[in-house]
Amino acid sequence: MNTAFALASKSSAGRASQPRPQAGFTLIELMIAVVVLGVLAAIAIPSYTSYVNKSRAKSGSADLAALALNMENRYQLQLSYPVNAAGTAATTTMFPAWAPTQSAYFNYTLVSTATSYTLTATGKSSLASCVMTLSNSNARTATSACGFTTW
């Protein structure tokens, strides 16, 4: 019995002298995690920005189509388009039924004669090189900066 007690006390004493493992992360592990997150952010943020700009341009093209519907409605009622000089800003006061959703990101202009028109949406800020046009013959163009060239 004494030997069993001596063995038990010796094994417990051996455990007490061993260092306990530390809980948590080392500085190297944390730095690796930061680097991985930085690489993922460097890839994801430009991709997300491109996606957002493309979606804004698509909404801007929908605004142009809605403005074209207002022009066609005016033509149906008066048998002529309203005459506007080049660079005339398309506003909701000129077309009360038109409500552009992307006016914060695009300037809308129009040029029209009694028989034809051309509508243009020119991007602002991050979309500055995006230009879309729509004519009365439904000819649609967009620069590559919009994220698409046909619509």
Side-chain angles (χ1 to χ4, degrees):
M1 188 109 164
N2 286 341
T3 59
F5 178 72
L7 288 175
S9 66
K10 186 177 182 181
S11 65
S12 65
R15 278 192 221 141
S17 65
Q18 293 178 351
R20 296 182 66 192
Q22 295 291 323
F25 300 104
T26 65
L27 181 60
I28 297 296
E29 290 170 332
L30 288 174
M31 292 306 295
I32 290 171
V34 167
V35 167
V36 168
L37 286 174
V39 168
L40 289 175
I43 293 169
I45 290 173
S47 178
Y48 178 72
T49 302
S50 172
Y51 171 77
V52 168
N53 285 342
K54 185 175 179 179
S55 69
R56 286 178 179 153
K58 285 287 187 178
S59 292
S61 68
D63 289 343
L64 276 183
L67 182 56
L69 287 174
N70 278 273
M71 294 290 286
E72 294 298 333
N73 186 36
R74 182 93 43 104
Y75 186 83
Q76 290 291 322
L77 294 173
Q78 300 174 355
L79 298 178
S80 68
Y81 296 114
V83 177
N84 292 293
T88 302
T91 62
T92 53
T93 54
M94 290 175 62
F95 303 98
W98 181 58
T101 60
Q102 297 299 316
S103 59
Y105 302 102
F106 287 94
N107 289 321
Y108 300 97
T109 57
L110 66 114
V111 57
S112 60
T113 65
T115 58
S116 68
Y117 64 84
T118 300
L119 309 174
T120 305
T122 306
K124 300 178 189 176
S125 64
S126 64
L127 291 166
S129 55
C130 176
V131 178
M132 297 176 289
T133 61
L134 175 61
S135 71
N136 63 304
S137 61
N138 204 27
R140 301 170 182 223
T141 63
T143 59
S144 61
C146 299
F148 54 90
T149 53
T150 58
W151 52 284

